[in-house]
Amino acid sequence: MKIGIFDSGYGGLTILEKIRARLPQYDYVYFGDNARTPYGSRSFEVVYQYTLECVKHLFDEGCQLVILACNTASAKALRTIQQNDLPNIAPNRRVLGVIRPTVEAIGEITKTRCVGLVATEGTIQSNSYPLEVAKLFSDVEVIGQACPMWVPLIESNEHHTLGADYFVHKYIDALFAKNSNIDTLILGCTHYPLLLEQIEKAVPAGVNILTQGDIVAASLEDYLGRHPEIASLCSRGGTIRFLTTESVDKFASSASIFLNQPIIAEHVTL
Ligand code: DGL
């Protein structure tokens, strides 16, 4: 059995990279629903339907465990899949998200107890981050800012352009105008590490920027340690396959830039 990593597009590659660096022994399947990306502006119902289809496909590919390496899917689909679908379709398999581990990490980092969140419209509207933060750290305030232009810029490989700089400043300035006490910024979308250099230049000095790759990788390692019954079912051949709903050539050329290595992708029709 393998470990599945799912995202609406290329963003989950930033998580995959860190997971493989920390846990290279396992076999992985990465699945990008590139033909239907972005998810960030879609309704709850649509994100849930798309995510469920992709999770089922990863189960069909032999995944024991699926990580939703996508905040939008974690915000809008994870709980329903865990509570309503898994018991019927695959009671012995697991689906995990990226929001909870990210929230767990902020408690020790913020000193001002004021945290900024940049994410897709869907993640911001779902209120998932403030709700999770309130459960763990009731004294921490979350100030959110939707950044609807960032994923399209990254998916179209336009993230190193002056146009991208403009949109980075636009949303970062809007966020800090809401509250200048923010000392920690969560990049709450797995695509956003691709804009890290520009974001670092745009935020006020001294602000901590939290990317999710290392956090999710550490959390997965911890999860597998606490669940030997799941870990023992995961095969250890160190392999990776890449699946996409888009053209394989398009996926392979963009994903190779993200990962800095040549890759071969397989097409999936859902
Ligand atoms: N990478 C996804 C996330 O973490 C979203 C991208 C999209 O809008 O599809 O939210």
Side-chain angles (χ1 to χ4, degrees):
M1 303 293 279
K2 294 160 213 114
I3 298 176
I5 312 281
F6 166 72
D7 182 46
S8 61
Y10 301 113
L13 295 170
T14 64
I15 304 283
L16 172 76
E17 204 183 6
K18 301 293 184 181
I19 288 179
R20 285 195 82 206
R22 190 177 272 258
L23 300 165
Q25 67 273 35
Y26 291 105
D27 292 311
Y28 296 93
V29 181
Y30 182 87
F31 187 11
D33 191 7
N34 302 76
R36 302 188 295 193
T37 200
Y39 280 14
S41 48
R42 297 190 191 275
S43 68
F44 261 87
E45 188 51 31
V46 168
V47 172
Y48 162 64
Q49 287 300 342
Y50 285 2
T51 305
L52 181 60
E53 278 174 24
C54 294
V55 166
K56 282 182 177 164
H57 185 79
L58 282 168
F59 286 164
D60 291 344
E61 294 283 350
C63 292
Q64 172 61 33
L65 175 67
V66 173
I67 313 292
L68 301 185
C70 173
N71 290 266
T72 312
S74 299
K76 293 188 161 189
L78 178 64
R79 182 162 306 174
T80 315
I81 291 176
Q82 283 175 333
Q83 293 179 355
N84 297 354
D85 297 299
L86 274 191
N88 298 319
I89 60 173
N92 298 324
R93 308 213 194 173
R94 297 290 177 267
V95 180
L96 306 174
V98 290
I99 295 180
R100 179 77 183 203
T102 307
V103 167
E104 282 170 0
I106 65 164
E108 286 182 8
I109 299 174
T110 173
K111 299 282 176 285
T112 62
R113 311 313 273 171
C114 185
V115 169
L117 168 70
V118 281
T120 65
E121 281 172 305
T123 300
I124 297 291
Q125 280 162 11
S126 73
N127 233 14
S128 298
Y129 271 94
L131 291 171
E132 283 298 325
V133 168
K135 283 185 212 158
L136 297 185
F137 311 108
S138 56
D139 60 327
V140 172
E141 185 185 3
V142 180
I143 314 290
Q145 174 65 44
C147 308
M149 287 301 292
W150 288 5
V151 169
L153 283 164
I154 293 164
E155 288 280 324
S156 25
N157 207 9
E158 293 284 338
H159 49 290
H160 292 304
T161 61
L162 287 174
D165 287 351
Y166 169 82
F167 282 107
V168 166
H169 268 284
K170 178 179 165 129
Y171 300 135
I172 293 291
D173 293 351
L175 174 70
F176 283 88
K178 290 178 199 172
N179 193 323
S180 56
N181 252 342
I182 296 168
D183 71 346
T184 304
L185 177 65
I186 301 171
L187 302 193
C189 172
T190 54
H191 282 67
Y192 295 175
L194 274 294
L195 287 170
L196 185 59
E197 273 176 33
Q198 289 107 306
I199 295 171
E200 277 170 346
K201 285 187 195 138
V203 298
V207 169
N208 300 302
I209 299 177
L210 229 66
T211 54
Q212 296 179 296
D214 286 323
I215 294 172
V216 173
S219 162
L220 176 61
E221 185 174 39
D222 177 61
Y223 177 88
L224 292 170
R226 285 184 291 108
H227 294 276
E229 75 288 2
I230 302 285
S232 63
L233 294 173
C234 297
S235 54
R236 291 156 197 248
T239 64
I240 171 81
R241 287 173 58 212
F242 294 94
L243 312 181
T244 177
T245 49
E246 246 290 358
S247 116
V248 288
D249 292 340
K250 191 162 183 273
F251 182 90
S253 66
S254 294
S256 306
I257 297 171
F258 274 59
L259 292 177
N260 226 351
Q261 66 182 68
I263 65 148
I264 295 170
E266 301 164 50
H267 180 74
V268 170
T269 306
L270 292 170

